[in-house]
């Protein structure tokens, strides 16, 4: 069996190389040994959009069907899955839970991953994302590039890039070192950007950033067993947030994981994987770079997560294949705020009181192959959470608002999903999903303390008495495959009882100078989300391809008011020409106007936009060098999307140049 | 063979050594348990954590009087603890009537007293007779305070009093206020009953009115409380206005949402009319 595995791995790396060479506008190919049709489609899209070698993870994410980004700055954008974000979705790294340490959501954990670290991204929507934890909105799992056992002792790449709008540069390098039974990889990536120039010529102040990312991995194989260890360090500093009143001095993430895999452990059990991990995020916000500040303040935050999981698959018994995952994690957070008045002593409070949450869960999935054309997948998850607010100042201050229970509080969350995959004909596959999911309120929604939201100008206060948010979701996807065209059309509907939403509390005065009031999280009776995506990949000629991704989400609360931060209909269409060593792309990113806005959240209507980009890649085969050039926002359009906080303009005309060398 | 013997001997030695170690551990453990037990039997000193203010002899009552307080005396409401000893044998006196008569002698030669709460019970509570005195002004250039403690010693049925010199400090932030409303003069003191911290703080307002030369608890007042952070221009929510509980004491809650300098506004009302506005600053660390 080990031989087969090794062969597969070798095959994979050869494939990787083969694919790498054929397409000069794509980096490492993101295909796994076992490829499902939907996965293949996603991978194709992901690879296609990795065209721009200076692309951040966010650039790639933004082009995935059903995924949008909330933008607060040039860096640190927050993923949104079909209108849901934050605690409504799971964002995991190789199955590991990780939580940002910023009370203002400036550090969704996606920012700590560079495209160089990444092998593939797996997105599941709605309660279907329950494999990684109880959820209502889905799961975004980022799989890190593992060391590859390869016949080649050493291979890798190094590149350097420049972009004009922010006078920014990036440099990266990654390599893989392999022996017979062990392999190691490492990558390093550095980015620096200054304040960028928006369309029309205005300089967006406080939009600079700088970061360094470093990852190493090791893999040791013996017989049926594989031991793998990973470490990732990411430091970002001097990160400006033009849409917020504060910037980030330091955002520091550390990840460590050791996993053990046994291909066949028992007659019945296979692919058993156990992983133990620890990660920490340290995040400091301050306004020392800002002028006209009423009072200077520092806001450091810390979040650590340790956990483990075991997953595996039972050998098919008849038409059933059972797989499972059992996981546990413990997340500890503390966020503080120190204010320095001109006269008088400094003031201190805990914006996230020191608190812990541990969650133990079990997930079971039965894959029932009813017939050659029909497959039924049933899955269920049960999570038990133990939440504690630790004694001390943080607890004392929250007692001003609530009678807090002594000791821990316990909650359980359940989810059940049913998926049917029906092969309609050789070219059509129909996927139907229906499911129920619950999610725990986040620690921020539970214990958050005067968290200022620049968007609506309110201080937010948590509510320890929140109920679980629930979701009944259904979605249908019709996939079409032919020699020339791959297309997918999805529609979804989601009814969410006990939707967690902050409502204004008139009787509480705000803390932040200049704030409009205070909002407290409540369960509103329900919210509804609906929408869909259409993706088309067409091979027009042997050299010409077109990819078009459209997405739309509609959201309203129980009384019909639009939910905030819902993107309007948006589309990205790319035309790609591949001529031997030359690849050319012409791209249009567009969005319709958003008139369904939530005014109490501070939203206003967003106009429609369309932006054109052109990219060019050239492979110097003799020197194994690739040159990438990009010309983004060609017409220097001054624009922003509905998901951009504070209507901060996006970068204007931007010239990109990247040179990459493979070795 | 010889080697084997040596080996056996070493083994024995080791065994003995081990046995000794175990014995030592057991003895130490037993000693610790014994110590722990004896510790719990010792009654803690009732004045632990208190400051001794003054002492003297109530001669007629054959008693030694000690006055203790939570901190050095200040102008405002002071919790006092009187401890009495038999002056002959030094035994504690646990049953007695205790009355306090504070008196300020002014430089002008005039003198006056201040509001007092005598111990309620004749029986000491954990050897202490708790009392309260609201000193209406600090001692200093204006005059000096004496605290007369009268003791009716139930152990021997005798009565006597001790005249103690006490020094009353002027606190950095005022802790009481006297004011005139209509025909009446009121004395209002306030204090946090626990350590002041971020969060919810039980708050005690003590009110007296002066009638002739006497001070009686003012039980017909109402209070409104509003903390404020002067440098931030915000207050705190869910404060509880002090409500009368007993003998002129009004209990409420003051909430501080963060550390720093706070100003607590306290309005005094009588028959729903505002008769006095007061405020004091406190720094939460």
């Amino acid at each position: 069996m080990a031989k087969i595995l090794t062969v597969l791995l070798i095959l994979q790396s050869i494939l990787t190389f083969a694919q790498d060479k054929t397409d000069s506008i794509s980096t490492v190919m993101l295909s796994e040994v076992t490829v499902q049709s939907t996965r293949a489609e996603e991978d194709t899209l992901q690879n296609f959009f990795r065209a721009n070698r200076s692309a951040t993870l966010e650039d790639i994410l933004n082009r995935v069907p059903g995924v949008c980004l909330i933008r607060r700055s040039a860096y640190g954008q927050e993923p949104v899955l079909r209108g849901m974000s934050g605690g409504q979705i799971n964002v995991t790294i190789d199955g590991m839970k990780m939580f940002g340490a910023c009370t203002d959501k400036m550090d969704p954990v996606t920012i700590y991953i560079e495209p160089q670290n990444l092998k593939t991204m797996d997105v599941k929507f709605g309660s279907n994302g329950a494999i990684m934890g109880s959820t209502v909105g889905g799961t975004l799992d980022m799989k890190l590039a593992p060391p590859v056992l390869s016949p080649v002792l050493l291979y890798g790449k190094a590149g350097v890039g420049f972009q004009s709008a922010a006078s920014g540069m990036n440099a990266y390098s990654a390599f893989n070192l392999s022996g017979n039974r062990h392999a190691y990889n490492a990558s390093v990536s550095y980015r620096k950007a200054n304040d960028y120039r928006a369309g029309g010529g205005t300089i967006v102040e406080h939009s600079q950033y700088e970061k360094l990312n470093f990852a190493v991995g090791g893999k040791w194989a013996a017989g049926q067993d594989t031991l793998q260890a990973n470490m990732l360090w990411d430091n970002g500093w001097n990160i400006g947030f033009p849409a917020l009143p504060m910037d980030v001095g330091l955002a520091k993430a550390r990840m460590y994981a050791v996993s053990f895999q046994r291909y066949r452990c028992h007659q019945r059990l296979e692919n058993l994987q156990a992983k133990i991990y620890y990660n920490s995020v340290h995040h400091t916000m301050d306004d020392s770079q800002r002028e006209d500040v009423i009072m200077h303040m520092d806001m450091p935050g810390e979040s650590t997560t340790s956990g483990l999981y075991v997953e595996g698959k039972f050998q098919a018994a008849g038409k059933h294949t059972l797989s499972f995952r059992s996981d546990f994690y413990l997340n500890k957070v503390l966020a503080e705020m120190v204010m320095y008045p001109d006269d008088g002593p400094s003031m201190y409070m805990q914006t996230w009181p020191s608190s812990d949450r541990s969650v133990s869960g079990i997930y079971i999935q039965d894959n029932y192959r009813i017939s050659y054309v029909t497959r039924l997948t049933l899955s269920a998850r049960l999570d038990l959470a133990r939440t504690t607010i630790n004694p001390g100042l943080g607890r004392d201050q929250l007692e001003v608002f609530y009678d807090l229970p002594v000791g821990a509080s316990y909650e359980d969350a359940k989810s059940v999903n049913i998926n049917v995959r029906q092969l309609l004909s050789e070219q059509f596959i129909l996927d139907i999903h229906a499911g129920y999911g619950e999610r725990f309120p986040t620690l921020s929604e539970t214990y958050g303390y005067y968290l200022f939201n620049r968007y609506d100008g309110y201080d937010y206060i948590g509510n320890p008495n929140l109920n679980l948010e629930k979701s009944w979701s259904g979605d249908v996807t019709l996939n079409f495959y032919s020699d020339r065209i791959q297309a997918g059309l999805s529609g979804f509907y989601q009814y969410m009882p006990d939707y967690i939403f902050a409502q204004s509390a008139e009787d509480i005065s705000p803390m932040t100078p200049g704030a409009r009031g205070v909002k407290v999280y409540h369960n509103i009776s329900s919210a509804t989300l609906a929408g869909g995506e259409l993706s088309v990949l067409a091979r027009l000629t042997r050299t010409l391809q077109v990819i078009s991704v459209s997405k739309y989400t509609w959201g309203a609360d129980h009384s019909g008011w639009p939910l905030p931060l819902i993107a309007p209909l948006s589309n990205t269409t790319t035309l790609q020409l591949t001529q031997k060593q030359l690849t050319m792309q012409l791209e249009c990113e567009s969005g319709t106007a958003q008139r369904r806005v939530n005014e109490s959240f501070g939203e206003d209507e967003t106009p429609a936009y369309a932006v054109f980009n052109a990219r060019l890649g050239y492979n110097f085969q003799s020197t194994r060098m690739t040159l990438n050039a990009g010309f983004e926002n060609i017409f220097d359009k001054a624009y922003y999307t509905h998901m951009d906080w504070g209507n901060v303009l996006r970068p204007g005309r931007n010239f990109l140049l990247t040179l990459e060398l493979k070795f | 063979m010889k080697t084997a013997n040596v080996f056996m001997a070493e083994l024995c030695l080791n065994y003995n050594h081990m046995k000794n170690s175990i014995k030592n551990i057991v003895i130490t453990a037993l000693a610790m348990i014994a110590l722990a037990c004896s510790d719990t039997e010792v009654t803690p000193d009732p004045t632990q954590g208190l400051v001794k203010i003054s002492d003297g002899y109530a001669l007629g009552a054959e008693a030694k009087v000690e006055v203790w307080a939570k901190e050095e005396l200040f102008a405002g409401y002071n919790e006092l603890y009187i401890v009495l000893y038999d002056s002959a044998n030094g035994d504690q006196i646990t049953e007695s009537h205790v009355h306090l008569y504070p008196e300020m002698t002014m430089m002008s030669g005039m003198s006056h007293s201040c509001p007092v709460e005598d111990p309620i019970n004749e029986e000491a509570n954990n050897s202490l007779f708790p009392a309260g005195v609201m000193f209406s002004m600090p001692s200093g250039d204006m005059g000096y305070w004496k605290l007369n403690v009268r003791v009716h010693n139930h152990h021997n049925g005798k009565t006597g009093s001790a005249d103690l010199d006490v020094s009353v400090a002027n606190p950095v932030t005022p802790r009481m206020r006297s004011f005139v409303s209509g025909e009446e003069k009121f004395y209002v003191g306030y204090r946090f009953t626990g350590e002041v911290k971020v969060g919810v703080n039980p708050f005690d307002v003590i009110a007296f009115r002066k009638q002739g030369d006497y001070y009686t608890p003012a039980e017909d007042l109402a209070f409104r409380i509003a903390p404020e952070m002067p440098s931030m221009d915000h207050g705190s929510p869910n404060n509880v206005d002090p409500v009368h509980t007993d003998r002129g004491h009004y209990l409420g809650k003051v909430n501080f949402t963060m550390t720093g300098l706070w100003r607590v506004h306290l309005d005094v009302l009588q028959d729903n009319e505002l008769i006095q506005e007061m405020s004091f600053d406190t720094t939460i660390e």
Side-chain angles (χ1 to χ4, degrees):
Chain A
M1 231 1 120
K3 274 181 189 165
I4 294 174
L5 196 70
T6 322
V7 168
L8 280 173
L9 285 165
I10 293 167
L11 201 68
Q12 184 200 4
S13 51
I14 291 168
L15 269 172
T16 308
F17 262 78
Q19 282 157 339
D20 230 14
K21 279 174 184 165
T22 51
D23 185 359
S24 69
I25 298 199
S26 87
T27 47
V28 181
M29 200 61 192
L30 300 177
S31 47
E32 293 204 279
V33 178
T34 48
V35 182
Q36 292 179 341
S37 53
T38 47
R39 166 67 55 70
E41 189 191 343
E42 267 170 33
D43 285 355
T44 322
L45 285 171
Q46 284 177 26
N47 282 318
F48 192 89
F49 289 126
R50 289 180 133 192
N52 169 4
R53 268 162 218 246
S54 59
T56 59
L57 187 69
E58 293 154 353
D59 295 325
I60 300 163
L61 265 175
N62 200 27
R63 288 165 166 81
V64 177
V67 181
C68 289
L69 290 164
I70 297 172
R71 181 184 159 101
R72 298 182 179 90
S73 71
Y75 169 82
Q77 298 168 38
E78 192 187 352
V80 180
L81 306 184
R82 286 181 172 171
M84 270 174 279
S85 62
Q88 296 176 312
I89 60 173
N90 292 317
V91 179
T92 53
I93 297 156
D94 261 347
M96 297 181 280
K97 288 274 186 179
M98 184 167 178
F99 299 90
C102 175
T103 51
D104 289 351
K105 299 179 182 171
M106 287 167 165
D107 70 335
V109 296
T110 42
I111 68 163
Y112 299 119
I113 306 296
E114 282 285 327
Q116 313 301 337
N117 311 137
L118 196 69
K119 182 180 164 212
T120 179
M121 280 187 290
D122 195 3
V123 184
K124 287 197 167 67
F125 297 106
S127 52
N128 232 355
I131 182 163
M132 293 301 172
S134 294
T135 180
V136 293
T139 285
L140 167 65
D141 187 38
M142 296 173 282
K143 294 204 188 307
L144 299 180
V148 176
L149 286 167
S150 146
V152 187
L153 176 68
L154 176 75
Y155 64 89
K157 61 184 176 185
V160 60
F162 168 81
Q163 59 139 318
S164 68
S167 325
M169 64 86 66
N170 71 308
Y172 59 89
S173 178
F175 69 84
N176 192 83
L177 185 70
S178 180
N180 258 344
R181 293 186 169 277
H182 48 90
Y184 308 91
N185 69 353
S187 73
V188 61
S189 176
Y190 169 78
R191 290 175 191 276
K192 180 176 166 58
N194 297 308
D195 287 346
Y196 68 80
R197 181 191 157 283
T202 43
I203 300 294
V204 177
E205 284 183 15
H206 310 293
S207 63
Q208 79 291 345
Y209 68 89
E210 196 166 356
K211 76 173 289 204
L212 183 67
N213 176 289
F214 178 62
V216 288
K219 184 190 262 180
W220 300 270
Q224 305 213 17
D225 299 339
T226 312
L227 186 71
Q228 194 174 314
N230 284 82
M231 186 188 86
L232 190 146
W233 286 24
D234 190 281
N235 272 21
W237 62 97
N238 189 23
I239 307 164
F241 278 78
L244 298 176
M246 297 180 94
D247 303 309
V248 173
L250 178 67
K252 189 171 98 176
R254 300 286 182 265
M255 280 170 236
Y256 308 93
V258 179
S259 68
F260 171 78
Q261 199 169 3
R262 176 165 284 188
Y263 184 68
R264 174 161 289 180
C265 2
H266 185 261
Q267 275 191 317
R268 289 266 179 87
L269 195 61
E270 52 191 36
N271 269 336
L272 188 82
Q273 195 194 0
K275 178 177 270 187
I276 181 160
Y277 61 90
Y278 170 83
N279 58 62
S280 69
V281 180
H282 179 80
H283 190 268
T284 54
M285 274 189 279
D286 67 76
D287 53 9
S288 56
Q289 306 297 314
R290 301 293 178 108
E291 291 156 10
D292 307 326
V293 173
I294 301 171
M295 190 186 307
H296 280 293
M297 51 182 91
D298 285 334
M299 292 182 73
E302 188 98 39
S303 166
T304 59
T305 309
S306 36
L308 54 95
Y309 68 80
V310 180
E311 61 184 21
K313 202 167 99 180
F314 292 97
Q315 260 197 340
K319 290 179 170 180
H320 293 271
T321 310
L322 209 64
S323 56
F324 70 94
R325 179 184 157 105
S326 173
D327 41 32
F328 169 83
Y329 71 85
L330 168 65
N331 175 228
K332 290 169 177 281
V333 299
L334 168 66
E336 299 158 295
M337 180 165 176
V338 190
M339 287 161 287
Y340 306 95
D342 290 336
D343 48 352
S346 64
M347 295 172 280
Y348 171 87
M349 58 187 221
Q350 292 184 359
T351 45
W352 276 349
S354 164
S355 44
D356 306 349
R357 172 174 285 164
S358 59
V359 178
S360 327
I362 182 142
Y363 172 85
I364 293 174
Q365 179 183 309
D366 179 24
N367 207 325
Y368 178 27
R369 203 170 279 277
I370 298 173
S371 69
Y372 177 69
V373 291
T374 312
R375 199 177 71 194
L376 181 74
T377 308
L378 286 167
S379 66
R381 170 177 269 276
L382 178 68
D383 271 337
L384 180 69
R386 178 183 191 276
T387 310
T388 323
I389 178 164
N390 296 315
L393 186 136
R395 186 188 164 96
D396 291 345
Q397 63 182 23
L398 205 65
E399 280 181 337
V400 168
F401 294 97
Y402 303 103
D403 284 328
L404 296 171
V406 180
S409 49
Y410 295 87
E411 284 167 305
D412 58 88
K414 302 162 283 291
S415 35
V416 187
N417 287 288
I418 176 163
N419 283 276
V420 180
R421 166 162 286 196
Q422 179 75 37
L423 199 67
L424 298 176
S425 71
E426 282 209 351
Q427 293 185 315
F428 284 99
I429 298 175
L430 183 69
D431 282 299
I432 300 173
H433 160 249
Y436 172 77
E438 296 175 338
R439 66 128 176 153
F440 302 111
T442 62
L443 288 175
S444 196
E445 289 161 343
T446 312
Y447 300 132
Y449 195 70
Y450 289 106
L451 299 173
F452 181 61
N453 180 340
R454 174 68 175 268
Y455 213 128
D456 57 6
Y458 278 81
D459 280 335
Y460 279 56
I461 291 176
N463 180 355
N465 305 317
L466 286 175
N467 293 326
L468 270 58
E469 190 174 274
K470 291 128 190 132
S471 149
W472 295 94
S473 62
D475 52 82
V476 180
T477 305
L478 183 66
N479 288 302
F480 172 79
Y481 298 91
S482 77
D483 290 347
R484 283 171 167 267
I485 296 173
Q486 264 185 50
L489 176 67
S490 311
F492 68 91
Y493 178 84
Q494 199 152 355
Y495 172 70
M496 302 180 67
D498 280 334
Y499 190 83
I500 296 172
F501 200 70
Q503 290 173 322
S504 169
E506 307 289 345
D507 54 328
I508 308 173
S509 64
M511 185 280 302
T512 307
R516 290 169 59 201
V518 169
K519 284 187 178 178
V520 178
Y521 286 102
H522 289 286
N523 293 103
I524 61 170
S525 71
S526 71
T528 306
L529 288 149
E533 298 93 26
L534 172 68
S535 63
V536 180
L537 191 158
R539 217 174 286 275
L540 302 177
T541 68
R542 274 192 63 207
T543 54
L544 197 62
Q545 274 188 91
V546 64
I547 289 193
S548 178
V549 176
S550 306
K551 38 200 169 190
Y552 175 71
T553 306
W554 178 95
D557 71 5
H558 57 288
S559 54
W561 282 105
L563 294 177
L565 293 170
I566 300 289
L569 179 66
S570 66
N571 171 275
T572 308
T573 300
T574 314
L575 198 66
Q576 177 165 301
L577 180 79
T578 315
Q579 201 84 27
K580 290 182 181 166
Q581 289 123 287
L582 182 74
T583 314
M584 280 193 290
Q585 276 188 6
L586 199 63
E587 183 179 80
C588 174
E589 292 177 69
S590 61
T592 59
Q594 179 58 291
R595 298 207 170 81
R596 288 181 50 79
V597 297
N598 189 305
E599 276 158 11
S600 73
F601 195 74
E603 285 190 328
D604 52 7
E605 292 190 7
T606 307
Y609 67 92
V611 175
F612 294 87
N613 309 317
R615 296 192 188 93
L616 189 127
Y618 190 80
N619 248 336
F620 300 91
Q621 259 172 346
S622 51
T623 53
R624 308 186 79 182
M625 205 148 67
T626 312
L627 182 76
N628 268 251
F631 200 29
E632 293 181 337
N633 195 355
I634 298 169
F635 301 109
D636 203 29
K637 170 119 178 129
Y639 80 109
Y640 56 88
T641 80
H642 190 66
M643 306 297 266
D644 298 354
W645 273 45
N647 299 345
V648 174
L649 291 177
R650 292 211 167 197
R653 188 176 295 132
N654 188 16
F655 181 69
L656 303 143
L657 197 69
T658 310
L659 194 67
E660 185 178 284
L661 178 73
K662 284 199 166 63
F663 55 85
Chain B
M1 199 61 200
K2 196 182 169 187
T3 356
N5 275 339
V6 171
F7 177 71
M8 283 302 286
E10 272 181 0
L11 207 69
C12 285
L13 271 172
N14 280 340
Y15 173 71
N16 279 334
H17 182 72
M18 205 165 77
K19 225 166 71 178
N20 278 333
S21 307
I22 292 168
K23 212 164 95 186
N24 283 338
I25 290 166
V26 170
I27 288 167
T28 321
L30 283 173
M32 278 167 78
I33 292 165
L35 273 171
C37 291
S38 62
D39 266 358
T40 54
E41 280 160 18
V42 171
T43 39
D45 181 0
T47 58
Q48 202 170 21
L50 300 177
V51 185
K52 192 169 173 185
I53 303 297
S54 184
D55 59 12
Y57 287 90
L59 290 173
E62 293 169 5
K64 186 191 175 197
V65 178
E66 286 184 2
V67 179
W68 295 73
K70 284 189 171 162
E71 55 187 307
E72 295 293 345
L73 300 186
F74 56 88
Y77 180 83
N78 294 259
E79 269 179 82
L80 299 184
Y81 300 93
I82 315 296
V83 189
L84 302 175
Y85 297 95
D86 187 312
S87 52
N89 59 22
D91 286 349
Q92 274 188 342
I93 300 167
T94 51
E95 258 194 74
S96 175
H97 268 120
V98 179
H99 299 282
L100 304 180
Y101 300 97
E103 187 176 52
M104 150 70 66
T105 307
M106 311 279 280
M107 289 308 162
S108 60
M110 307 254 294
S111 67
H112 63 78
S113 184
C114 67
V116 169
E117 290 171 347
D118 283 332
I120 303 173
N121 290 323
E122 300 156 31
E123 274 169 43
N125 178 8
N126 189 25
S127 310
L128 305 173
F129 294 92
V133 176
M134 196 191 310
F135 292 104
S136 52
M137 58 189 291
S139 41
D141 295 344
M142 303 268 287
Y144 58 89
W145 283 97
K146 267 188 186 298
L147 182 63
N148 183 276
V149 184
R150 218 174 99 194
V151 177
H152 177 219
N153 185 347
H154 288 196
H155 291 208
N156 56 21
K158 293 177 178 171
T159 305
S161 70
D163 229 2
L164 309 173
D165 288 320
V166 291
S167 168
V168 176
N170 192 11
V172 182
T173 38
R175 293 163 83 163
M176 68 87 60
R177 179 127 177 210
S178 62
F179 57 89
V180 177
S181 168
E183 307 276 287
E184 296 181 301
K185 184 163 188 185
F186 292 97
Y187 293 79
V188 175
Y190 39 81
R191 61 176 185 147
F192 293 101
T193 54
E195 197 187 330
V196 194
K197 59 177 174 56
V198 167
V200 183
N201 294 277
F203 186 68
D204 185 19
V205 179
I206 310 98
F208 281 84
R209 60 159 52 84
K210 194 177 181 188
Q211 288 176 319
D213 283 344
Y214 297 98
Y215 300 88
T216 56
E219 301 182 345
D220 58 339
L221 301 178
F223 294 91
R224 271 199 311 242
I225 200 155
E228 177 211 357
M229 251 193 150
S231 55
M232 297 279 290
D233 205 22
H234 69 69
S236 71
N238 303 332
N239 296 283
V240 179
D241 287 335
V243 174
H244 187 254
T245 52
D246 182 35
R247 295 197 300 165
H249 281 254
Y250 297 76
L251 262 183
K253 282 174 186 168
V254 179
N255 298 332
F256 298 120
T257 51
M258 63 178 82
T259 72
L261 177 76
W262 285 84
R263 182 162 298 150
V264 181
H265 297 276
L266 187 65
D267 292 348
V268 190
L269 296 95
Q270 189 179 28
D271 300 329
N272 285 327
E273 266 183 50
L274 181 70
I275 57 167
Q276 184 68 33
E277 287 177 323
M278 306 162 57
S279 74
F280 63 94
D281 287 355
T282 181
T283 299
I284 315 296
E285 279 159 7

